[in-house]
Amino acid sequence: MSSSNPSILIPVLDDWQSLDVLLKNISGTNLPSGRNIDVVVVDDGSRMAPELSESLLEGSVQSVRILSLKANQGHQRALALGLAHIYNEMTPEFVIVMDSDGEDRPEELSALILAHEAAPDTIVVAQRHRRSEGFVFRLFYQLYKLLFIWFTGKPISFGNFSLLPRSRLGNVVFNSGVWNNLAATMLKSRVPITFVPTQRGTRYHGKSTMNFTSLMIHGFSAMAIFSDIVIGRVILMLSVLSAFVGLTVVAVIVIKLGTTTFVPGYATNIILFLVTFLSLALLTGFLMILSLLSRRDQASALPTQLVNELMREVIQVAPRSATERVSA
């Protein structure tokens, strides 16, 4: 599958039923300029063998390639390996990344492609203008976005549903951050981003596994992409706090020893606590700097280097459902 057709990359973990529905919906979508689509599915160590309808290769779907990984790598790493495979083995006009559960709607594909045609050298991302989760989840999601801006200086308001032009694919796959979080990596790539407003679709089957814990891990993984900026801002914050603590300690000592103003007996305990806090803050900042500098000496393995090692086989679903298995 080395055609110049656009590609759609979809990670899947056991949810073949939803993928089947998604592919049928993509097949029935009329894409701008009559484009056909080559679909790349990353099987992230599913327990069940792929099960797809024989009639899925109709309409816009030209072919389907399933990359079966040797073991579960997690959603973000599966995306990274899929992008690496496309970069190494294919020459698509562009790559659209979307989930298989139906929340990324095939109806939005045309809007992403039209935005790409208007600005072909930018990454196009789907920006949901309203979320439909519960109040508590939405509250913490807003908190996550505020913390992300505070620690990185960059707003983030989109997920994985995106379009990457071929010319910009290297900016993402050769960034080690793609292992952790695709959206944050696109922000860090310095590639211009075009935002397209979209609506959240309805899941085809089952319930979302995203919960508070998942959101927390997702948030930390996104901020980890900007670890140098985050550490710099944390150190600055610790420096300000340390200066405040130092001035407070000096003020208490001056008042106690240099004036007749009554100072409570527990002032000594307060001074001890503040000095301890100051020492810990300075030690934490020093360790953060050492950690950042040590990581810069280590070369990270990129998805393009590991994709063949982590892939068990390639299942090629060619036109008219002629299925071929190729060992990796």
Side-chain angles (χ1 to χ4, degrees):
M1 188 167 59
S2 58
S3 69
S4 59
N5 289 335
S7 296
I8 293 182
L9 174 63
I10 307 170
V12 175
L13 178 61
D14 289 320
D15 195 9
W16 301 108
Q17 192 175 8
S18 291
L19 176 65
D20 198 61
V21 176
L22 176 64
L23 292 179
K24 290 178 181 176
N25 289 340
I26 293 174
S27 296
T29 302
N30 294 321
L31 301 178
S33 303
R35 286 178 172 85
N36 290 319
I37 290 289
D38 292 326
V39 177
V40 177
V41 178
V42 181
D43 174 11
D44 189 21
S46 296
R47 293 168 295 178
M48 301 179 291
E51 295 181 5
L52 299 175
S53 300
E54 294 183 358
S55 60
L56 62 90
L57 293 173
E58 298 175 349
S60 300
V61 177
Q62 184 73 19
S63 61
V64 178
R65 173 181 293 192
I66 302 175
L67 313 179
S68 294
L69 302 182
K70 294 179 180 178
N72 178 263
Q73 300 295 320
H75 189 79
Q76 295 297 321
R77 285 179 172 252
L79 285 177
L81 292 169
L83 289 173
H85 176 83
I86 292 172
Y87 183 88
N88 288 342
E89 306 294 338
M90 302 165 64
T91 56
E93 177 188 358
F94 53 78
V95 181
I96 294 177
V97 179
M98 63 190 308
D99 289 336
S100 65
D101 55 15
E103 294 185 0
D104 297 337
R105 304 194 311 152
E107 294 89 339
E108 314 281 8
L109 293 175
S110 293
L112 296 181
I113 295 173
L114 290 174
H116 163 71
E117 291 178 346
D121 204 35
T122 69
I123 293 174
V124 182
V125 299
Q127 188 178 45
R128 291 176 183 168
H129 62 271
R130 186 179 65 182
R131 302 191 67 92
S132 57
E133 293 91 349
F135 172 77
V136 175
F137 183 92
R138 285 185 282 116
L139 178 64
F140 280 103
Y141 185 76
Q142 292 301 320
L143 177 61
Y144 150 66
K145 292 200 296 184
L146 289 174
L147 289 175
F148 191 89
I149 294 175
W150 173 262
F151 283 110
T152 69
K154 297 179 180 293
I156 187 166
S157 57
F158 58 93
N160 295 326
F161 193 17
S162 57
L163 183 154
L164 290 81
R166 172 70 189 181
S167 61
R168 295 299 193 176
L169 193 53
N171 294 76
V172 175
V173 297
F174 290 113
N175 189 321
S176 60
V178 73
W179 285 120
N180 287 334
N181 191 285
L182 175 60
T185 301
M186 289 190 287
L187 274 180
K188 191 177 182 180
S189 69
R190 301 179 184 274
V191 175
I193 295 177
T194 299
F195 296 89
V196 174
T198 61
Q199 295 181 3
R200 181 176 183 266
T202 303
R203 294 181 64 89
Y204 297 135
H205 299 282
K207 296 181 179 180
S208 175
T209 57
M210 178 66 80
N211 51 32
F212 175 76
T213 302
S214 302
L215 178 62
M216 182 175 63
I217 295 174
H218 176 77
F220 282 132
S221 67
M223 285 189 283
I225 307 300
F226 298 90
S227 59
D228 51 347
I229 298 176
V230 172
I231 290 176
R233 292 198 170 204
V234 170
I235 291 173
L236 177 61
M237 182 176 65
L238 290 175
S239 299
V240 172
L241 289 174
S242 298
F244 174 77
V245 169
L247 291 175
T248 303
V249 170
V250 171
V252 171
I253 293 175
V254 169
I255 292 172
K256 187 176 180 64
L257 300 180
T259 69
T260 58
T261 303
F262 173 74
V263 177
Y266 55 78
T268 303
N269 293 332
I270 293 177
I271 291 175
L272 180 61
F273 171 78
L274 292 177
V275 170
T276 303
F277 176 83
L278 176 61
S279 301
L280 290 176
L282 294 175
L283 178 61
T284 301
F286 180 69
L287 292 177
M288 284 183 171
I289 294 174
L290 289 181
S291 175
L292 176 62
L293 294 177
S294 66
R295 284 202 302 271
R296 289 188 172 183
D297 292 337
Q298 302 171 2
S300 301
L302 297 170
T304 50
Q305 299 170 306
L306 298 179
V307 59
N308 291 331
E309 294 182 24
L310 296 175
M311 192 164 53
R312 184 176 70 251
E313 64 176 356
V314 178
I315 304 174
Q316 180 70 50
V317 184
R320 301 305 160 217
S321 299
T323 302
E324 177 186 359
R325 278 179 163 79
V326 181
S327 297

